[in-house]
């Protein structure tokens, strides 16, 4: 097992249960609780080990991209899942503000999670996997209104992360869900094109792909984590061998 700690950052309105069943039980899973990307990065740098492998999904991956741009020497490997490196659109900003308004009117984080369940899991998964529907809703309930509100404010501070990705020099794995309508595979190809030697993989899933494909996702992460330990491993990883 790698001596370098693995850090996994869940997406908005999600918890560490996102990674359950992936065989990554030794990972550190800090919450995203700050009201801006910069504040969240600063908090993570203050509390995480000196060097770590860093993965994240959706908002967690956006924070990961900002962190490696700010402190590249702290990150030994980068794994970006179900995410978007571009700056927010006006439509996204309106959606986040709408959710803040709904929270302020007393709607729960669980209810907001349930309102987008098809986008998070795909309609097919919702129909076939009631256990995953329950887990996804429960993550919203566990996150709670206060933390979700901070995450929504954090979303509004996002910037275009693509310029920073061009400087990344650690083994990078980029994973998309083939049926993700929130962050489609094309977003991930775009990310991988910015990072020298990045590997991009698409799994048969929607946005919350570690829930749907825990074995396949866990195997990808373990392979990425193992191969980055030596220069030879990094070269093999980049070539896809």
């Amino acid at each position: 097992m790698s001596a370098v700690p693995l850090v996994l950052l869940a997406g908005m309105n999600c918890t560490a249960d996102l990674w359950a069943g992936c065989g990554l039980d030794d990972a550190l899973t800090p919450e995203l609780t700050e009201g801006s990307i910069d504040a969240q990065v600063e908090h993570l740098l203050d509390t995480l080990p000196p060097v770590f492998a860093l993965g994240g999904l959706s908002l967690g991956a956006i924070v990961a991209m900002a962190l490696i741009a700010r402190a590249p020497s702290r990150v030994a490997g980068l794994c970006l899942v179900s995410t978007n490196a571009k700056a927010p659109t006006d439509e996204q900003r309106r959606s986040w503000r709408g959710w803040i308004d709904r929270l302020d009117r007393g709607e729960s984080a669980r209810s907001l999670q349930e309102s987008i369940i098809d986008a998070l899991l795909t309609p097919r998964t919702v129909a076939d996997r009631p256990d995953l529907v329950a887990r996804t809703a429960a993550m919203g309930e566990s996150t709670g209104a206060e933390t979700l509100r901070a995450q929504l404010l954090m979303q509004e501070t996002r910037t275009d992360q693509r310029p920073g990705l061009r400087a990344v020099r650690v083994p990078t794995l980029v994973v998309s869900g083939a049926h993700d309508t929130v962050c489609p595979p094309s977003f991930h190809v775009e990310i991988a094109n910015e990072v020298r030697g990045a590997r991009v993989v698409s799994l048969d899933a929607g946005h919350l792909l570690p829930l749907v494909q825990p074995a396949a996702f866990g195997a990808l992460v373990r392979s990425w984590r193992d191969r980055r330990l030596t220069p030879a491993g990094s070269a093999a990883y980049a070539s896809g061998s």
Side-chain angles (χ1 to χ4, degrees):
M1 181 177 292
S2 169
V4 178
L6 173 63
V7 176
L8 295 174
L9 306 177
M12 187 176 76
N13 216 15
C14 293
T15 69
D17 189 50
L18 181 69
W19 319 108
C22 296
L24 306 170
D25 297 339
D26 64 324
L28 304 174
T29 55
E31 289 185 279
L32 304 181
T33 58
E34 304 297 324
S36 72
I37 296 289
D38 285 348
Q40 186 63 64
V41 167
E42 183 175 356
H43 177 72
L44 290 170
L45 290 173
D46 285 346
T47 56
L48 289 176
V51 178
F52 47 88
L54 181 59
L57 181 142
S58 199
L59 179 59
I62 292 164
V63 172
M65 287 185 272
L67 190 152
I68 196 171
R70 178 166 168 181
S73 64
R74 298 282 300 275
V75 181
L78 185 65
C79 178
L80 304 173
V81 186
S82 301
T83 196
N84 180 5
K86 297 185 283 291
T89 64
D90 290 341
E91 182 179 357
Q92 286 175 310
R93 294 183 186 279
R94 285 192 295 269
S95 176
W96 298 327
R97 290 167 189 158
W99 271 35
I100 290 172
D101 289 343
R102 290 165 70 179
L103 288 172
D104 290 347
R105 291 196 299 268
E107 193 165 346
S108 70
R110 180 188 181 109
S111 175
L112 289 168
Q113 188 89 310
E114 290 172 335
S115 73
I116 60 167
I117 198 76
D118 281 355
L120 295 175
L121 293 176
T122 77
R124 183 186 69 183
T125 300
V126 169
D128 294 345
R129 296 292 304 274
D131 58 319
L132 297 186
V133 173
R135 282 177 62 187
T136 302
M139 286 196 295
E141 185 169 358
S142 295
T143 298
E146 182 179 355
T147 295
L148 177 56
R149 194 179 198 285
Q151 291 172 351
L152 289 161
L153 293 172
M154 191 188 310
Q155 292 273 29
E156 293 203 53
T157 69
R158 285 166 44 185
T159 59
D160 189 344
Q161 298 289 343
R162 289 172 295 180
L165 290 173
R166 295 165 197 154
V168 171
R169 293 294 182 267
V170 297
T172 299
L173 173 65
V174 184
V175 189
S176 69
H179 313 293
D180 188 353
T181 58
V182 179
C183 296
S186 60
F187 287 10
H188 301 79
V189 172
E190 185 177 46
I191 289 169
N193 287 341
E194 300 290 353
V195 182
R196 186 174 66 186
R199 182 185 181 193
V200 60
V201 180
S202 188
L203 297 179
D204 182 16
H207 191 63
L208 300 185
L209 65 89
L211 286 181
V212 181
Q213 295 282 4
F217 176 73
L220 283 171
V221 172
R222 288 190 296 274
S223 175
W224 156 78
R225 193 180 182 189
D226 290 344
R227 291 190 183 193
R228 64 170 175 68
L229 294 179
T230 66
S234 296
Y237 182 87
S239 68
S241 61

